[in-house]
């Protein structure tokens, strides 16, 4: 059939260009060490930054709550799927951040679609950093607003775009921590511009929440700003919190509007209540166990110093995302495979996830890593560097 033949031809092209994507099968829990193909690998490519994904206390909370609530929530939040567990998690997230309300979504992808498509109307303008996460770009496509993208972190260009005359409302959306680069958005400047231009600022803090700021309150707090500086604060539960799902935090009016208008909230089954209970347990650990963030800071410093000493500088980043830019997708794949031969797992990130010429090893650190793990990675990378593969 012509359609399927065309699909096969496209697959062949992708393979020839080093852009073919495959999945690896995990045979156990996520963590600094994972089992794959019967081998134990030292992993530097999960978003489980605090090492909580396989924490026994979260597993216990999940199991206990499953006995109480069952497995499936059975309905959307607005029908009969919204449980005490969901409600308590929302209240605790709002409390933790200091916002009036918070609203759970089943995934971060859906939260971003829901906010952008739900809040923006025809004639509005949406301003986005060029390196924003795919879900924000897709949300823009679903919304009726005009999308304008500004060069990465270029607040001068954004200021010029914002100053152009327009009648509709304006929303600025930015990742708090950029997912493939690890750098932090210029949140203070974004907040100033938003205030000056009466635009709404949305921060997607998928990689900052739990990791940055006092008690892990995220990138807005880490920038020294009041939570209201970003009136739409979105973050996910599947990264540092080690569970799954996402939320938007903000004012009463924002959350009530999302409940009415965000289609990815209204028309989908609520996440299992037990998952919400596990996230409540995780939120307590995130707030209380400062040692996890301290450990991360030490590991980041160790990795960066070691890479500089080898002569393989990492991209500028102070977060657990520490990419090594290799540019060519085939080269990134070769490095990833050579590491795998040494039982180290670092996935190659290639276009279109990153721009052309931006293929990289996206190295991520976790509070579950030991200094010796980082040293092992450094030794392996040095060997690859010397052999110039
Ligand atoms: C992971 C991620 C998302 C999507 O969150 P999921 O819960 O995985 O769907 C959204 N935004 C950013 C910046 C992310 O890194």
């Amino acid at each position: 059939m012509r359609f399927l033949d065309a699909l096969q031809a496209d697959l062949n092209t992708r393979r020839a260009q080093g852009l073919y994507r495959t999945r690896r099968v995990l045979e156990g829990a996520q963590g600094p060490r994972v089992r794959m193909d019967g081998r134990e690998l030292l992993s530097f490519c999960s978003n489980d930054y605090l090492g909580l994904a396989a924490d026994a206390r979260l597993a216990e909370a999940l199991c206990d709550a499953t006995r109480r609530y069952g497995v499936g929530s059975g309905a959307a939040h607005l029908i009969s799927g919204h449980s005490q567990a969901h409600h308590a998690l929302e209240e605790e997230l709002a409390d933790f951040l200091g916002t009036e309300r918070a609203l759970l979504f089943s995934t971060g992808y859906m939260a971003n679609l829901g906010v952008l498509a739900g809040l923006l109307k025809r004639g509005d303008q949406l301003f986005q950093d060029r390196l924003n996460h795919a879900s924000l770009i897709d949300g823009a496509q679903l919304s009726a607003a005009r999308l304008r993208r500004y060069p990465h972190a270029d607040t001068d260009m954004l200021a010029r775009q914002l100053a152009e005359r327009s009648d509709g409302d304006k929303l600025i959306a930015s990742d708090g921590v950029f997912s493939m680069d690890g750098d932090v958005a210029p949140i203070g400047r974004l907040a100033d511009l938003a205030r000056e231009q009466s635009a709404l600022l949305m921060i997607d803090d998928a990689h900052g929440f739990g990791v940055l700021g006092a008690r892990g309150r995220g990138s807005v707090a880490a920038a020294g700003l009041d939570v209201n500086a970003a009136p739409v604060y979105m973050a996910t539960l599947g990264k540092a919190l080690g569970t799954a799902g996402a939320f938007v935090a903000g004012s009463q009016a924002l959350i009530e509007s999302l409940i009415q208008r965000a289609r990815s909230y209204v028309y989908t089954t609520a996440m299992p209540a037990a998952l919400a209970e596990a996230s409540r347990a995780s939120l307590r650990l995130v707030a209380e166990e400062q040692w996890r963030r301290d450990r991360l800071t030490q590991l980041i410093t160790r990795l960066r110093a070691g890479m500089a000493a080898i002569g393989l500088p990492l991209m500028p980043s102070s977060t657990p995302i520490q990419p090594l830019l290799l540019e060519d997708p085939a080269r990134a794949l070769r490095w990833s495979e050579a590491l795998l031969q040494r039982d180290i797992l670092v996935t190659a990130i290639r276009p279109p996830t990153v721009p052309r010429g931006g293929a990289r090893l996206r190295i991520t650190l976790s509070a579950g890593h030991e200094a010796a793990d980082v040293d092992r990675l450094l030794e392996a990378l040095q060997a690859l560097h010397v052999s110039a593969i």
Side-chain angles (χ1 to χ4, degrees):
M1 201 184 108
R2 242 178 66 192
F3 204 130
L4 292 177
D5 291 344
L7 293 183
Q8 188 57 53
D10 174 70
L11 290 173
N12 297 345
T13 310
R14 283 169 192 260
R15 204 183 278 282
Q17 292 173 338
L19 298 178
Y20 201 82
R21 299 167 185 244
T22 58
R23 301 167 304 166
R24 293 205 170 90
V25 181
L26 209 59
E27 291 155 8
Q30 185 60 266
R33 282 175 183 69
V34 296
R35 279 200 82 73
M36 273 177 192
D37 300 325
R39 291 157 67 193
E40 187 186 272
L41 305 176
L42 177 58
S43 167
F44 290 95
C45 53
S46 86
N47 301 315
D48 178 25
Y49 303 121
L50 297 182
L52 288 170
D55 189 283
R57 291 163 293 181
L58 302 200
E60 200 56 40
L62 185 86
C63 292
D64 282 354
T66 303
R67 280 185 277 274
R68 176 167 170 209
Y69 289 102
V71 178
S73 66
H77 284 276
L78 289 176
I79 305 299
S80 65
H82 186 68
S83 70
Q84 255 176 359
H86 298 115
H87 209 72
L89 175 57
E90 289 181 345
E91 288 177 351
E92 286 163 14
L93 285 166
D95 241 29
F96 178 67
L97 288 164
T99 57
E100 287 175 6
R101 295 277 300 273
L103 185 71
L104 290 178
F105 282 80
S106 295
T107 70
Y109 192 100
M110 292 168 73
N112 283 342
L113 296 192
V115 168
L116 297 181
L119 297 185
L120 293 164
K121 47 189 194 313
R122 195 163 305 284
D124 290 347
Q125 292 198 81
L126 169 57
F127 301 86
Q128 292 209 27
D129 189 293
R130 244 181 210 295
L131 293 190
N132 273 356
H133 190 261
S135 54
L136 286 167
I137 303 301
D138 294 359
Q141 241 124 44
L142 264 186
S143 89
R146 170 170 178 223
L147 172 64
R148 308 200 56 184
R149 298 172 82 183
Y150 55 89
H152 179 48
D154 187 345
T155 49
D156 292 339
M157 178 61 86
L158 173 61
R160 283 198 288 280
Q161 291 179 353
L162 281 166
E164 289 171 22
R165 260 195 61 85
S166 81
D167 295 328
D169 288 325
K170 298 171 184 170
L171 191 150
I172 305 167
S174 175
D175 284 15
V177 174
F178 288 87
S179 52
M180 294 301 133
D181 291 54
D183 58 330
V184 179
I187 298 179
R189 182 82 184 111
L190 292 176
D192 288 344
L193 285 174
R195 196 167 0 85
E196 288 161 23
Q197 298 288 337
S198 304
L200 193 64
L201 176 61
M202 169 180 190
I203 295 294
D204 171 345
D205 213 16
H207 300 277
F209 185 63
V211 174
L212 302 181
R215 287 161 60 85
R217 281 202 189 84
S219 60
V220 177
L225 298 171
D226 182 84
V227 62
N228 299 311
V232 186
Y233 179 85
M234 173 275 184
T236 67
L237 304 171
K239 289 168 180 157
L241 267 79
T243 58
F247 67 91
V248 175
S251 69
Q252 176 78 7
L254 172 76
I255 299 305
E256 283 300 317
S257 300
L258 290 174
I259 292 173
Q260 319 304 315
R261 289 156 55 167
R263 292 167 66 86
S264 62
Y265 181 78
V266 174
Y267 297 108
T268 199
T269 302
M271 70 163 73
L275 204 50
E277 281 296 325
S279 297
R280 293 179 69 196
S282 181
L283 186 61
R284 285 192 286 276
L285 298 179
V286 165
E288 284 163 13
E289 299 193 340
Q290 178 59 33
W291 69 264
R292 293 177 187 275
R293 282 177 290 278
D294 295 343
R295 165 80 65 84
L296 265 177
T297 306
Q298 289 157 10
L299 294 170
I300 292 164
T301 306
R302 190 177 191 92
L303 178 68
R304 291 191 69 84
M307 291 295 275
I310 295 171
L312 271 179
L314 293 161
M315 292 171 66
S317 160
S318 58
T319 68
I321 304 167
Q322 293 289 330
L324 176 63
L325 187 63
L326 294 171
E327 298 177 1
D328 171 32
R331 184 160 180 243
L333 275 181
R334 280 199 306 277
W335 279 57
S336 174
E337 277 155 20
L339 287 174
L340 198 55
Q341 280 167 14
R342 294 160 188 265
D343 294 330
I344 297 176
L345 182 66
V346 185
T347 311
I349 305 285
R350 295 160 287 162
T353 306
V354 289
R356 267 147 71 92
R360 68 197 63 181
L361 292 183
R362 179 180 178 268
I363 300 167
T364 56
L365 294 167
S366 156
H369 284 124
E370 304 284 341
D373 296 334
V374 170
D375 294 348
R376 211 177 118 198
L377 173 65
L378 285 167
E379 262 168 50
L381 287 169
Q382 178 166 31
L384 301 193
H385 184 42
V386 169
S387 63
I389 65 162

